[in-house]
Amino acid sequence: MIDITAGPAVEDSSGDLLAVHVFADRTLSPGAEWVATQLGDWLDAHFDSVEFDGKAGQMTSVPGAGSVPFGTVTFVGLGDEVDAEGLRRAAGSLGRSTCKAKKVVTTLHQVDVDGAAEYVSLGFLLGQYRFDKYRTEPKPSVTESLTLARADEAATAEIARGSAIAAGTTLARDLVNEPPIGKPPVEMARIAESLIAEGSPLQVKVYDENESLEERFGGLLGVAAGATNPPRMVVFDYQPDDAVGFVAFVGKGIVFDSGGLSLKPPAAMETMKTDMSGAAAVFGAIRAIAELGLPVRVMGIAPITENMPSGSATRPGDVLTIRNGKTIEVLNTDAEGRLVLADGLSLAAEAEPDLIVDVATLTGACAVALGPRVGGLFANDDEAAARVEAAAKRAGEDVWRLPMPAEYRKLIDSPIADMKNTGGRYGGAITAALLLKEFVGEIPWAHLDIAGPARSSDAENYVTKGGTGFGVRTLVEIAASFAE
Ligand code: BES
Ligand code: MN
Ligand code: ZN
């Protein structure tokens, strides 16, 4: 892990790369002003030639050329006014570009944003992310350290917060990027157990396939019926002595979604290792929350299985009985996420938390509606929705609330069971959410459909190609909101 520390002013620093910020219309920050003076008059001509004027998202590098004790100087544009997310993004772009510099020094955190050092640390670490383990010739980043020049007293705690959230997000990305063969449910459970440190208030209980039967996890077992690899139900419980609230997170953990007997076409299967991104977000958030020692009780529930076709697979027309006793007629085995979540949500509701939040790559419909960067938010309670919206805003993750009209409930009426698992093409994200609602009882609940933002087809600011870790930061902020 890259070492992030507070250091002396730029004038008294040295390293391989110095990153200073510039505001709109080439308004130089004090750090940039100092380097510009050292470098000399040619800098303006360089800015002209690369059309760098300090807009957010712009970046340009020049050699230190012996004028400053840095091999490279990078100018990072921040635009007119920068906020937390602007800072994460700028630091993310910087992190993606500095992989050939060992020692990086920056002034980015010196802007007028509360908690700036956290956002710079987080963005930088996420931008540095690589998933190289399956390359015979990995090209890892050589960056060893990031020094925040002239950081104040508060910076140390901010750096720690940013680093803990980055570590949780990195765990989620690693899990999502891992090929399906490398993450069968048993392996996912082993990773969950590896997060438990001695003396920590974090515990985990793993239910195997036999225990899942005893516990009546009918949705999980129904989806797992076609798979050779057995399922697992992972239940984290983080219970610090000073807990002031109780939140339960539930994450969809389909390690590969073939669609089951309602088989997906080949192209649609290509990215279906991503279908455990909800579980990955829960793992990552739990890790970060425990590391930060937040004074909140957090339960983290992840039903984990493959969705595969075979002679033993659940058939369209079969009826499953979920843990809370309700029955679901399975008409499309590719609508499997809601089946495993039904068990997870039932389990969460039994614990009677103040709030349940589930995270799932649930519907293509939601990705179609909101695109690749925005998650869908559904809730049975306006206060819960407001809390999640505010948390997502603080986290810099975009979510948009969608409605759950009661009159759509009839779209999932079944002729023989309590409900069916598909509601037709129109409003597909909504009918999925309406099914989930049946399993939370009266507990305030929010559902995040992250089918769009869970993975990215390109690298942009701190977002790298592949799994994004979307949801980790929002879940951490939700937990933190109870601690305030
Ligand atoms: N895992 C998919 C949803 C998905 C699609 C996530 C694309 C990410 C990208 C889910 O299990 C699924 O297959 N949903 C179906 C539901 C339908 C059969 C009612 C869908 O969205 O088509
Ligand atoms: Mn599916
Ligand atoms: Zn799925």
Side-chain angles (χ1 to χ4, degrees), residues 252 257 259 264 275 307 333-337:
K252 171 178 174 182
D257 182 10
K264 286 182 184 295
D275 215 18
N307 183 25
T333 63
D334 196 13
E336 83 297 339

Side-chain angles (χ1 to χ4, degrees), residues 22-28 53-56 58 76-81:
V22 179
F23 296 102
D25 305 320
R26 253 182 235 179
T27 308
L28 303 185
D53 44 28
K55 282 204 187 79
Q58 288 184 339
V76 182
L78 292 182
D80 287 317
E81 214 183 325

Side-chain angles (χ1 to χ4, degrees), residues 20 28 30-41 43 47 68 73 75:
V20 291
L28 303 185
E33 187 75 59
W34 174 77
V35 216
T37 313
Q38 303 299 308
L39 290 177
D41 297 340
L43 191 60
F47 285 167
V68 286
V73 178
F75 295 88

Side-chain angles (χ1 to χ4, degrees), residues 252 257 264 272 275 332 334-336 338 361-365 422 451:
K252 171 178 174 182
D257 182 10
K264 286 182 184 295
M272 279 303 133
D275 215 18
N332 188 323
D334 196 13
E336 83 297 339
R338 61 200 77 183
T361 46
L362 201 62
T363 65
T422 55

Side-chain angles (χ1 to χ4, degrees), residues 289-478:
I289 289 163
E291 186 173 335
L292 293 169
L294 297 185
V296 189
R297 180 172 174 201
V298 184
M299 195 176 249
I301 300 175
I304 303 173
T305 179
E306 295 177 344
N307 183 25
M308 299 292 271
S310 82
S312 59
T314 292
R315 292 149 289 243
D318 282 343
V319 173
L320 303 177
T321 303
I322 304 304
R323 176 168 172 95
N324 76 347
K326 292 196 183 183
T327 57
I328 307 179
E329 185 184 14
V330 180
L331 291 182
N332 188 323
T333 63
D334 196 13
E336 83 297 339
R338 61 200 77 183
L339 303 174
V340 304
L341 287 171
D343 280 328
L345 292 169
S346 303
L347 203 57
E350 282 168 33
E352 298 187 343
D354 302 318
L355 171 68
I356 300 174
V357 180
D358 78 73
V359 192
T361 46
L362 201 62
T363 65
C366 198
V368 169
L370 299 177
R373 292 282 191 263
V374 182
L377 166 64
F378 299 83
N380 64 354
D381 178 278
D382 289 342
E383 209 181 298
R387 185 189 285 272
V388 173
E389 245 168 349
K393 183 107 195 115
R394 278 197 303 281
E397 292 183 318
D398 250 330
V399 302
W400 193 259
R401 190 171 178 190
L402 294 170
M404 299 181 66
E407 60 174 330
Y408 286 8
R409 173 60 180 78
K410 62 176 177 289
L411 296 174
I412 54 169
D413 282 349
S414 158
I416 65 164
D418 296 339
M419 66 203 88
K420 59 178 178 167
N421 80 329
T422 55
R425 231 158 63 80
Y426 284 24
I430 296 174
T431 46
L434 283 167
L435 184 143
L436 299 181
K437 182 171 175 268
E438 298 284 322
F439 299 90
V440 296
E442 300 299 310
I443 313 275
W445 157 79
H447 156 57
L448 291 170
D449 191 332
I450 61 165
R455 91 179 282 109
S456 175
S457 54
D458 45 18
E460 185 180 35
N461 54 67
Y462 56 75
V463 176
T464 49
K465 202 174 157 151
T468 58
F470 191 95
V472 171
R473 290 185 280 141
T474 296
L475 294 185
V476 172
E477 294 299 341
I478 291 169

